Amino acid sequence: MSPRGAIVLIGFMGAGKTTAALQLAAERGLRAIDADQLIEARAGSPIAEIFARDGEGRFRALEEEVVCELLERSGSGDVVSLSGGAVTSERIRAALDGHVVVWLEVSPELAWRRVGGGRPLAVERGEFDARHDARLPLYGAAADAFVPASVVRSSLGRVYDAVAALRDAPRGARLLWALSASGEYPVYLGRGLLGSPVWPLDQGSRRFCVTDRNVAPLWLDAAGVFEHSIAIEPGEPSKTLTTAAEVWSGLARAGMNRGDHLVALGGGVVGDLAGFCAANYQRGVEVVQVPTTLAAQVDSAYGGKTGVDIPEGKNYVGSYHQPAGVIVDPATLDTLPAQEVAAGYAEVVKTALIAGGSLWERIAADHPIDDDVILDCARCKLAIVAEDERDAGRRQVLNLGHTVGHAIETVSGYRRYRHGEAVALGLLAALELSEQSELREQVATLLSRHGLPRRAEGVDRAAVAQATLRDKKRVGDSVPFVLVDAPGAVRHGAAVSGAQLDAALEALCG
C-alpha cells in the first residue's frame, strides 16, 4: 500500500460518504473530493439528468473515466468519496490499489430511510435491496477498512486515525471498527502486524503483558517492548481467581498505573483472564487483545466478555470490559499444535452456522480457514455485539453449542477436553435438540474431518445434565438454549425439556 494514497470512501447510497469526507476535511485539514460533483461538472448537468437522458450505462462510462483520473492524481492529503456503484467497474476497482479504501457499511433499511425515492436507483424498494445485496461482495473485496456508517455522526476522527495507521501496516492488513454501547475500538487483522508500528494506543501509555508459558517464547519478543510481562501456566485450569490475584500483585509490584495498559497475548484463557484483570486492576485499565489461537481470533478476543472459572461453573465470575483494540496476526497460527487449530475450528463452524450465507457456504464446502474466513467470523461477531453488548437478546446466539459444551468442560475438570472440543460436542447436542438430523450429520462430518470428537467419551451423562442446569445463563428454573432452524436462522431463548436434553445427551454420550 502506498503511503501517499488517499483515503477513499466507498459504500452503498445513503452511507454518508460525502458527509464523512467533508467532516474529515474540516477536522483534519484534508481536502474533500466528491466524485459525483466532478462527474456533474464534466457532464454539465446533474446526475439525475444524465440517468434520465442517457441511461445508467452512459453514466457508468463517464464515472469510470472521471474516477480513474481522480484516483490517479489523489494523494495522502485527500479524502475521496465515490458513488455507491463505482465499485461495479473493474477498472475503478483496479485503480483503488495504492489507496486506503474505507467501506462505510449501511443497512438497506437505513439507506432507504435516507435516500428512498430521491435518487435514480432508489425508486423501488425491492430493486434497491437487491442492488444493495449484490454489491456487498464488491465492497468487501475492495475494502481495507470496514466501518459502520453510524460513526459519521460520532467518532469519525478516531476512525480516521485508525484508518491512517494502515499506511504503516504490512500490505494486505485490514481494519474493522468495533462498536458497542460502552465503547468503540479498532481491530487490525493482517500477517506481520506483530512487530509493525501499528498499535491502537499511543506511545504515552506503557505496555504490560499477560501471556502463557507456551506463547511467550514464540511471540513475546515479536509483540513489542513491554515494561513487564507475566507468563501463566497454559490451559483452562489457570483461569481462576487465584491466578488473577497473582497477576494483580505482579502488576502492582512492577509499578503499573491507570495510565498504562495491559496486553493479552495468547488464546482464550489469556484473553479472558487478562481482560478480567484489566477490568478490575485499580478499578479498570485499558486492555489490548492480541489473540494467538484460532478460537480467539475468530471469537473470544472481541466483545469485551472477561472472566474466570470457579468449581461450580465456567465463567461464573466476570465482567464486560471492551478492549482498547485488537491486533490479529494470523501468522501466530502457524506455530499452533494441530489440536489447538482443530479446537478453534469448532468456533468457526459455530459462527458460520449463525452467519449463514457465504460464510456457511465456504465452511460447508470445507474451504481452507484463511485470513478472509477469520475476518468474516470477526465481522459476524462484532455486528452482533454492536446490536446487543450485554446478552440482553441477540448476543445470546453466540452461545450456540456452549451450554452443553461448558457443562462438559466443568464435569471433566477442564482437563479432558479443550474448550473447542467441548464446543464441538455442544454444537452436536444443540443440533440434536433442534431436530436437524441432516445438518447435524453434516456438521459432525466437518468436525471429525478436522480432528474434533463426535461423541463425548468417558463423560458422565447425568453429571453433564446437572451442570447444564447450573449454566450461568439460567433464569429462574430454566436454562435458555440456542437452537438452529437453518444456517443463518438461529434463535436464542429456546425452552428445552429435561426429556429432550436427556435424549440429546444420550445421542452424544451414549
Side-chain angles (χ1 to χ4, degrees), residues 27 45 134 154 182 222 228 249 254 256 301 346 390 410 488:
E27 291 183 7
S45 55
S154 58
S182 64
H228 183 70
S249 293
M256 183 178 182
R390 296 184 175 245
T410 299

Side-chain angles (χ1 to χ4, degrees), residues 35-47 49-51 53-70 83 86 89 91-92:
D36 283 354
Q37 291 181 357
L38 297 181
I39 294 167
E40 290 180 336
R42 178 79 57 93
S45 55
I47 287 174
E49 288 187 13
I50 302 174
F51 267 84
R53 183 182 65 241
D54 303 322
E56 183 180 0
R58 173 56 189 148
F59 170 77
R60 294 299 175 201
L62 179 60
E63 176 182 53
E64 183 178 272
E65 176 184 307
V66 171
V67 169
C68 287
E69 292 175 5
L70 170 60
S83 78
S89 163
R91 187 179 163 207
I92 289 176

Side-chain angles (χ1 to χ4, degrees), residues 26-268:
E27 291 183 7
R28 299 304 169 99
L30 303 171
R31 181 176 62 153
I33 308 172
D34 184 73
D36 283 354
Q37 291 181 357
L38 297 181
I39 294 167
E40 290 180 336
R42 178 79 57 93
S45 55
I47 287 174
E49 288 187 13
I50 302 174
F51 267 84
R53 183 182 65 241
D54 303 322
E56 183 180 0
R58 173 56 189 148
F59 170 77
R60 294 299 175 201
L62 179 60
E63 176 182 53
E64 183 178 272
E65 176 184 307
V66 171
V67 169
C68 287
E69 292 175 5
L70 170 60
L71 294 175
E72 178 67 26
R73 64 175 185 266
S74 297
S76 59
D78 300 325
V79 55
V80 176
S81 55
L82 303 185
S83 78
V87 294
T88 61
S89 163
E90 184 177 352
R91 187 179 163 207
I92 289 176
R93 295 199 300 273
L96 289 171
D97 189 45
H99 298 282
V100 183
V101 182
V102 180
W103 175 15
L104 289 183
E105 299 186 75
V106 64
S107 68
E109 294 78 18
L110 178 57
W112 180 258
R113 288 200 300 270
R114 289 178 173 178
V115 304
R119 299 191 186 182
L121 298 181
V123 177
E124 198 278 319
R125 179 63 192 270
E127 293 179 358
F128 183 86
D129 288 357
R131 184 171 288 109
H132 172 276
D133 293 346
R135 289 178 182 172
L136 292 181
L138 297 175
Y139 296 137
D144 300 303
F146 300 71
V147 177
S150 60
V151 304
V152 174
R153 292 175 172 84
S154 58
S155 51
L156 191 59
R158 283 187 62 208
V159 173
Y160 171 77
D161 292 338
V163 168
L166 285 172
R167 293 192 173 106
D168 297 321
R171 187 172 181 85
R174 287 167 287 184
L175 165 75
L176 305 177
W177 190 255
L179 290 176
S180 70
S182 64
E184 306 177 14
Y185 55 93
V187 175
Y188 292 99
L189 190 153
R191 291 180 179 269
L193 278 171
L194 290 187
S196 79
V198 176
W199 197 255
L201 294 173
D202 63 40
Q203 298 302 313
S205 177
R206 296 183 302 169
R207 303 182 195 180
F208 291 72
C209 182
V210 173
T211 185
D212 71 37
R213 290 191 170 91
N214 286 343
V215 174
L218 297 170
W219 294 106
L220 185 61
D221 289 343
V225 177
F226 298 102
E227 194 76 15
H228 183 70
S229 63
I230 298 170
I232 65 171
E233 289 297 327
E236 194 76 25
S238 288
K239 209 173 86 174
T240 64
L241 285 167
T242 299
T243 309
E246 293 170 356
V247 170
W248 288 321
S249 293
L251 297 176
R253 288 193 298 268
M256 183 178 182
N257 61 53
R258 293 191 65 190
D260 303 323
H261 65 278
L262 194 59
V263 178
L265 176 67

